[in-house]
Amino acid sequence: MANKNLSRDIERIAPSTMADVVETRLREYLKKKAFKPGDALPKELELAEALDVSRNVVREALSRLRMLGMIESRKKRGMVLAEPDILGGFERVMDPLILDVKTLQDLFELRLVLEMGLADILFTRLTEKDLIDLEQIVNKEVNKVQKPFKVKHEIAFHGKLYQMTGNDTFRRFQNMLLPVFEYVVSEEAKINGEAKVGKVTHRDLLELLKKGDPEDFRKGMKEHLSPHFERVRK
């Protein structure tokens, strides 16, 4: 049987540098030994001898872990395991100008899913002060369906909802997604003349927070975001 197409039939093995291998081994070692944030790592020389590689290779692998926020240098202690900032890397690259269309669409849909999932935690944690703050935000808007669509109103109202959850990861994620949201909405406006709005306004959502329940709010939010969901279905 001819093997002339063998290279197309068998996936090639990606080449790995020594630093790639050492980085993987260090990750495995940290897991195996159940390192906790603040625990000191072995010295470079000790790691090099144990792995039978040069100190330069170990240094490069450690540098990669440092860039990921997994380790940090401490005075008089050397390298220690850090508590990584899981969103830090995302924040640095979340720029619509350097992301492709598919990624922008995926992130936009992620934002929609997050908005729909806020209901239960909002009703668990909302306070009277939260409702007063939302009232002030809504009063700055026109108390009817917003035409034309105002991104600044969306940012103010929905940003407050994320803050009300008391979840810092939610809040940071929302801040990261804002540039993507603004970009997608602006592109939609270029095509359609203006961004579409849902029939349920911020005023309506506020009233649901005051008098409704999580399921009512979830339905209201879905209607509020309906133009965006319609865009996803196209």
Side-chain angles (χ1 to χ4, degrees), residues 147-195:
K147 292 185 179 181
F149 179 90
K150 297 291 186 181
V151 171
K152 67 178 183 180
H153 293 157
E154 289 292 298
I155 291 174
F157 187 86
H158 292 264
K160 178 60 184 178
L161 294 182
Y162 280 89
Q163 181 188 337
M164 287 165 58
T165 67
N167 187 306
D168 287 339
T169 301
F170 271 164
R171 181 180 53 77
R172 287 181 63 191
F173 215 82
Q174 190 251 357
N175 286 335
M176 283 192 298
L177 293 177
L178 280 178
V180 174
F181 173 70
E182 292 179 280
Y183 178 82
V184 172
V185 169
S186 66
E187 289 299 302
E188 180 181 329
K190 288 178 185 177
I191 297 172
N192 301 321
E194 64 178 21

